[in-house]
Amino acid sequence: MLTFPYRVGGDAVTIRFPERPDELAAFEEFIRRTSGQILGLDTENTDLHVFGAQFRGRLVQFGTVDEAWCIPVEWGGPYLESASRVLRDPDRKFVVHNAPYDLLVLDRTGLVPLADLGPRVFDTYLLGHLCDPRMLHQGGTGLKLKELSKVYVDPAAADTQDGLHAVFRKEYKATKHTGWAVIDLTHPLYLTYAGLDVIYATRLLRELGTLVKGNGLSKLAHWEHRVQLLTTAMMKRGLRIDPVYTSQLVAQLHDEAARHRSTAAEFGVANVNSNAQVIAALQGMGEEWTETTDSGAPSVSKDVLLPMADLGMQWERLEARAANPVADAVVRAKRASKWADSYAQAFLDKVDDQGRIHPSIRSLAARTARMSVSDPALQQLPSSDWTIRRCIIADPGQLIVAADYSQVEMRVLAALSRDEALMAAIASGEDLHTFTARLVSGAAWEHMDDKARKKARKLFKAVGFGKVYGGGAVTLSRQTGAPLADVRVAVAEYDKAFPGIRAYGRRLQRSAAYGGQEVVTPFGRHLPLDRDRAYAATNYVVQSTARDLLAKALCDLDDAGLSEYVLLPVHDELVCQAPAEDAADVIHTIGRLMESTFGGVAITSEAEVYGPSWGHGYGAAA
DNA sequence: GCGCACCGCGCG
DNA sequence: AAAGCGCGCGGTGCGC
């Protein structure tokens, strides 16, 4: 038996490691002694790619507030069986920090099925987010185990990852990525840190649990655990990739990028990703512009380069003659290589031996509670064009289907602000932005031709977004290209037409000013505001409430036995797959289940059968 | 080899 | 009166 003493929050703690099978008896005695307690749980593995071919589980750690056991499941046999028995005990509950990863590890390595252990796990990440959803750099507590531990458990909480990285380098000639697979299971620092993590998690639960309960967040916490389990099942399910199409697309995009790079090189831009080189070349050609970045350097964003290249804002008009060949080549080369590397190649790199990718889904991520998806970032795939989404395909015999909310944020804003005109506009069933344009135009609307009406609609659509985001006339003018004076008039007219929106924003800011610089959403979520950005209050509440409506829909779907069809949440839509013969039925049922009445406002959705790939919803040929 | 700030860009 | 909101990721450039 290896034993390591340590101190946490002023208390002596012990970390143990059974080196021989007969020492498992002492572990099992620990398990009996702590029956009825919520045990800390964590795993250490070869790497983070749970679905990768070489992935292996190495340690499973169990612990209380002062004692941790590191079980070498990598050694198999009795170690594996002993850990598995504890995990499968239906009366035993656990606390994990970032449960989805460990749940998937334990499922994948056969120790305990996701559906068995999942409902018996508390996640301190979720509790920490409910108490303060901000990252460290946003002025919050941060949400990593170490960050939360420093605030709630022990200001001197050990840097359990960083310390090991030095060991990987010095003792194993490995990197922070490769070290995990090769470090000796009995390495004292490795075991100490592995054990500390479960001790921290257990203590965090004690502190955060009290805080959550005391602030009336228990129901929300329970609900978030359910939502997280549903997104964890989506991570396991994954999405299928079309390998042949994707490989061809990568080659084609690389080819395209290379052509434009060589054009740029002819004009002295050896590296299109070097903004300094691009700026030098353009200035050398006599181009002048005033746009700058936050730090004051000349900006070479699309907003600057596209007009220079005379490409307009629409990629559909790529045939337009290039006015500035450098601007043109740079913007095309960068787009082609980004699409090739960040999207298509990323799919191929992450595909498992079943042809699927398994994105990481954070069910509770943004400070507004929005979900995030990474590895790969499937919520951000280009939608202006079908080519990238075409890489994602349905399983054999199935079709990709989707249901998305209709202008959910505007509807939420109407319900929360109780603005009568906005509620009436939505209730009328007419297109909201056309309704607004007509309302504001008054008698003039009758004399406007179709083109003028469309232009007015576009402007008021932008103004509506500006209201949701808290943006001003200058930004709107820049975004729409409409003259600033016109935008100012439109904003004033909008405020007059929907006075409740501004009043609601002021109400939120006032209550925040007297109530701890935070707003509370209808779902009971506490969202801290930045002192100098109090105007963001409306957006935070609206965005957060829209997220909670989608999360609630996921639970309702699950109650109806339909969650197995869901592949991915994308903020206001659910991307799903269903057997071809009843795909339409399934997605219409899902769409109906997403709908509700919120604060007297109808929250509606649209369901659509896309086809064999995700791209088929964006124009890919059937 | 690694972390960080900055920049730019994809989405809702 | 004025204030665009929220993410993830890849590249550059720089310092350790």
Side-chain angles (χ1 to χ4, degrees):
Chain A
M1 180 91 69
L2 299 177
T3 303
F4 307 95
Y6 209 86
R7 292 197 77 80
V8 173
D11 303 326
V13 303
T14 311
I15 293 147
R16 300 182 199 282
F17 178 83
E19 289 181 286
R20 298 199 319 260
D22 60 291
E23 290 169 348
L24 282 170
F27 168 63
E28 274 152 24
E29 202 283 315
F30 161 78
I31 292 298
R32 276 193 299 279
R33 175 159 41 91
T34 57
S35 77
Q37 287 185 44
I38 299 170
L39 286 184
L41 169 65
D42 188 25
T43 69
E44 303 297 337
N45 308 288
T46 50
D47 56 83
L48 294 174
H49 305 113
V50 183
F51 297 92
Q54 330 87 309
F55 181 88
R56 274 179 296 111
R58 304 203 69 196
L59 289 181
V60 176
Q61 307 99 273
F62 301 91
T64 63
V65 291
D66 55 13
E67 183 175 358
W69 284 79
C70 303
I71 307 302
V73 292
E74 185 173 58
W75 292 349
Y79 301 100
L80 194 93
E81 284 157 24
S82 189
S84 184
R85 258 198 311 281
V86 175
L87 291 165
R88 288 170 191 256
D89 175 357
D91 295 325
R92 178 67 80 168
K93 291 184 165 61
F94 300 92
V95 54
V96 188
H97 191 75
N98 274 330
Y101 171 74
D102 298 286
L103 286 173
L104 290 170
V105 167
L106 295 169
D107 180 274
R108 174 94 207 277
T109 54
L111 271 86
V112 56
L114 174 62
D116 177 343
L117 179 58
R120 294 185 281 118
V121 161
F122 297 94
D123 189 339
T124 44
Y125 170 89
L126 296 180
L127 304 183
H129 194 286
L130 291 174
C131 291
D132 184 344
R134 294 170 301 175
M135 311 278 109
L136 215 46
H137 65 87
Q138 296 171 322
T141 55
L143 295 165
K144 295 182 176 146
L145 178 64
K146 181 194 73 186
E147 294 167 350
L148 287 170
S149 298
K150 279 193 169 159
V151 173
Y152 295 109
V153 175
D154 183 353
D159 238 317
T160 55
Q161 304 253 315
D162 296 349
L164 274 176
H165 295 164
V167 170
F168 294 167
R169 274 201 309 278
K170 288 201 179 78
E171 298 176 30
Y172 294 88
K173 309 271 177 263
T175 69
K176 59 172 284 192
H177 299 292
T178 58
W180 299 100
V182 296
I183 189 168
D184 194 320
L185 276 190
T186 62
H187 192 289
L189 195 69
Y190 180 66
L191 288 174
T192 303
Y193 286 171
L196 275 179
D197 281 351
V198 291
I199 291 174
Y200 287 144
T202 314
R203 286 174 177 243
L204 263 183
L205 179 66
R206 197 168 61 179
E207 303 305 319
L208 288 171
T210 307
L211 213 50
V212 162
K213 216 174 217 168
N215 288 315
L217 296 169
S218 298
K219 273 185 76 175
L220 201 49
H222 182 261
W223 185 63
E224 287 299 346
H225 281 83
R226 183 173 181 205
V227 173
Q228 187 191 59
L229 202 49
L230 293 173
T231 55
T232 305
M234 293 178 209
M235 292 170 67
K236 180 182 176 185
R237 195 169 300 131
L239 300 95
R240 194 179 187 83
I241 296 297
D242 182 338
V244 174
Y245 171 83
T246 307
S247 308
Q248 283 170 356
L249 181 61
V250 169
Q252 185 187 314
L253 288 169
H254 275 157
D255 190 56
E256 188 182 329
R259 283 203 318 273
H260 295 302
R261 267 201 305 272
S262 77
T263 303
E266 288 171 24
F267 290 90
V269 179
N271 181 353
V272 294
N273 287 320
S274 167
N275 292 348
Q277 288 181 27
V278 174
I279 290 164
L282 290 173
Q283 286 177 340
M285 296 169 89
E287 293 284 358
E288 286 175 18
W289 68 99
T290 53
E291 250 69 37
T292 58
T293 66
D294 285 341
S295 63
S299 167
V300 285
S301 70
K302 270 196 329 188
D303 288 348
V304 171
L305 295 188
L306 285 181
M308 261 183 216
D310 197 20
L311 286 171
M313 299 304 285
Q314 296 298 319
W315 282 102
E316 286 73 23
R317 292 201 217 111
L318 281 184
E319 72 278 8
R321 200 185 67 80
N324 185 314
V326 172
D328 180 272
V330 166
V331 84
R332 289 174 192 262
K334 282 173 80 167
R335 190 185 82 147
S337 61
K338 182 182 171 75
W339 285 31
D341 300 340
S342 303
Y343 303 129
Q345 186 60 47
F347 296 157
L348 297 176
D349 290 345
K350 293 172 201 301
V351 78
D352 71 4
D353 52 15
Q354 307 294 307
R356 312 184 78 82
I357 53 171
H358 301 268
S360 171
I361 305 175
R362 285 224 138 151
S363 57
L364 186 60
R367 64 185 291 173
T368 57
R370 263 196 175 184
M371 301 185 188
S372 74
V373 176
S374 58
D375 291 310
L378 296 179
Q379 289 185 318
Q380 289 109 309
L381 302 186
S383 60
S384 60
D385 182 299
W386 54 266
T387 48
I388 296 295
R389 292 185 192 230
R390 168 67 181 78
C391 299
I392 312 282
I393 56 174
D395 282 311
Q398 310 223 17
L399 294 175
I400 300 289
V401 294
D404 67 311
Y405 283 124
S406 316
Q407 310 145 325
V408 64
E409 293 194 333
M410 288 305 296
R411 287 167 189 265
V412 167
L413 179 60
L416 295 177
S417 69
R418 315 296 312 156
D419 183 280
E420 286 186 25
L422 190 55
M423 290 177 76
I426 288 166
S428 77
E430 187 182 346
D431 173 81
L432 179 59
H433 310 303
T434 308
F435 183 101
T436 307
R438 187 164 46 75
L439 181 69
V440 166
S441 309
W445 183 259
E446 297 309 321
H447 306 293
M448 289 164 69
D449 60 14
D450 211 45
K451 201 176 150 197
R453 287 181 175 179
K454 275 207 171 116
K455 198 175 149 194
R457 180 189 182 276
K458 194 181 159 208
L459 180 60
F460 283 102
K461 182 179 179 181
V463 174
F465 274 120
K467 288 294 148 193
V468 172
Y469 293 147
V474 175
T475 311
L476 284 171
S477 168
R478 189 156 40 80
Q479 293 255 324
T480 58
L484 182 57
D486 294 7
V487 175
R488 281 195 210 282
V489 171
V491 170
E493 286 171 329
Y494 196 95
D495 286 338
K496 212 169 98 192
F498 305 120
I501 297 178
R502 250 164 61 138
Y504 174 64
R506 278 199 288 263
R507 223 151 57 226
L508 280 180
Q509 292 185 47
R510 208 163 37 239
S511 74
Y514 294 102
Q517 298 295 326
E518 65 169 24
V519 289
V520 182
T521 73
F523 281 77
R525 207 178 288 287
H526 291 240
L527 305 178
L529 297 177
D530 299 336
R531 211 169 283 278
D532 54 341
R533 288 164 73 249
Y535 61 84
T538 304
N539 173 257
Y540 283 11
V541 178
V542 168
Q543 189 179 107
S544 183
T545 303
R547 177 277 184 189
D548 285 333
L549 288 172
L550 188 74
K552 182 175 182 308
L554 277 180
C555 294
D556 293 343
L557 244 59
D558 189 45
D559 288 338
L562 294 168
S563 59
E564 64 187 279
Y565 297 110
V566 183
L567 297 175
L568 195 72
V570 190
H571 303 311
D572 67 349
E573 69 175 314
L574 295 175
V575 179
C576 313
Q577 70 170 355
E581 56 276 17
D582 45 35
D585 275 355
V586 167
I587 199 57
H588 283 109
T589 306
I590 288 174
R592 265 206 307 282
L593 282 164
M594 288 166 67
E595 296 186 337
S596 62
T597 302
F598 177 76
V601 176
I603 305 294
T604 60
S605 73
E606 281 177 28
E608 199 181 338
V609 175
Y610 284 178
S613 89
W614 196 359
H616 284 73
Y618 296 80

